[in-house]
Amino acid sequence: MKTKRKFNIVDVILIALAVLAAVGVLALRNRVTGASVSRATTPMRCTVEMTWAPADMANQMKVGDRVYHSTDSKYIGTVAAVRCAPHKENSYLPAEGRFVQYESKDGYDIYLTIEGDGYTTDRDVVIGEVNPKVCGEMAIKGQGFARMAYVVNLDLMGAELQKNEDVGNGSLEAVYVVQLTDMREMLLDGVQVGDKFYEKTSKALMGEVIDVRIEDHVETQLGPGGETIDAKKENSWDLYVTLRGRAVEKPDGYYLDGGTELKVGASVTMNSQRFERTGVFYAMESIEGVK
């Protein structure tokens, strides 16, 4: 008469090891094939700027060529357009007390538009395997070039940003202003009313944009007679972004959701789905209990 075999501790350990091995193999396969996440994608474009580039660099960029992220070789997309223009630089003339722009004779600015399959999350726009941010750096490479570039535009090509419902935590409502300085015209549309911004390091919600103000960027310089004057810098503006967020009060002051110090004069690197830049807490408009 046959008797049922009883499981002992060795059998349990062997079964557990087999399950763990199977899970590990499946996870590795998903990581390699990208099968762990299935998302609907749509064509999107990002335009990057490469400044002071040699003239021949633009010749190495052909429409249809594949473009990758330099540091980890992640695929972004293909070249959709290339535009090259002489590099322009601001120079201050003390004798005239003003800034002037001049064109470089041997340096060029290249604007490379990359098109790839993309999608949005509540935090990012993802094109290919990277998440570009306007004003953010992105090291790129192609068949015959490699360069550090700056993202100057994102084009969702009709796709909609995934809505972000995050409202943050905290017992106080804070309305405050962040100043972003020395921004060129092509970057100004990167911040819109309704955008939600996060602090880059802690990834904590800072708040929602409720107002955006643009002013000329001026720098203090010596005038023709040696006096101190404020001179406007050509093609340069300051952005004053008003946000509403949640905060808590601690013995040493106010902190935004996630631990970001909310102190006028402190710097902060903020990013939204489309934009990233370091600014300064410029003003505190109000802070009061949440109703």
Side-chain angles (χ1 to χ4, degrees), residues 101-212:
Q101 274 195 336
Y102 68 91
E103 289 188 354
S104 170
K105 296 181 179 179
D106 55 2
Y108 293 86
D109 293 341
I110 300 173
Y111 296 89
L112 175 67
T113 300
I114 306 166
E115 182 173 326
D117 292 330
Y119 60 90
T120 70
T121 72
D122 63 351
R123 295 286 186 98
D124 300 302
V125 172
V126 181
I127 301 179
E129 298 178 74
V130 302
N131 55 324
K133 307 278 188 183
V134 172
C135 290
E137 292 184 341
M138 190 164 72
I140 61 173
K141 63 182 179 181
Q143 183 85 13
F145 73 95
R147 188 81 169 189
M148 180 63 74
Y150 297 89
V151 182
V152 294
N153 182 260
L154 288 178
D155 182 1
L156 303 188
M157 299 174 66
E160 293 186 3
L161 284 171
Q162 181 172 316
K163 194 170 182 180
N164 185 341
E165 303 289 356
D166 196 356
V167 295
N169 300 307
S171 58
L172 301 172
E173 180 183 81
V175 177
Y176 60 95
V177 181
V178 174
Q179 179 193 46
L180 306 172
T181 65
D182 201 4
M183 293 182 60
R184 288 170 296 155
E185 184 176 12
M186 67 178 66
L187 306 175
L188 298 178
D189 289 337
V191 181
Q192 302 286 338
V193 171
D195 288 350
K196 287 186 172 64
F197 272 90
Y198 298 83
E199 198 278 320
K200 183 178 181 180
T201 302
S202 68
K203 302 185 184 303
L205 179 67
M206 293 176 60
E208 179 177 336
V209 177
I210 59 175
D211 185 59
V212 180

Side-chain angles (χ1 to χ4, degrees), residues 1-69:
M1 185 175 181
K2 294 183 179 180
T3 59
K4 289 185 178 180
R5 183 175 179 271
K6 293 183 179 180
F7 285 98
N8 56 37
I9 187 64
V10 176
D11 295 320
V12 173
I13 293 174
L14 290 175
I15 292 172
L17 289 174
V19 171
L20 288 174
V23 170
V25 170
L26 182 60
L28 180 61
R29 186 184 67 182
N30 286 341
R31 190 192 313 179
V32 173
T33 63
S36 58
V37 178
S38 177
R39 294 182 183 272
T41 60
T42 185
M44 295 181 183
R45 290 184 173 186
C46 67
T47 299
V48 300
E49 177 190 54
M50 290 157 278
T51 61
W52 281 107
D56 189 53
M57 181 173 287
N59 297 328
Q60 307 305 317
M61 304 171 184
K62 307 296 183 185
V63 173
D65 283 356
R66 295 167 70 87
V67 182
Y68 300 86
H69 195 244

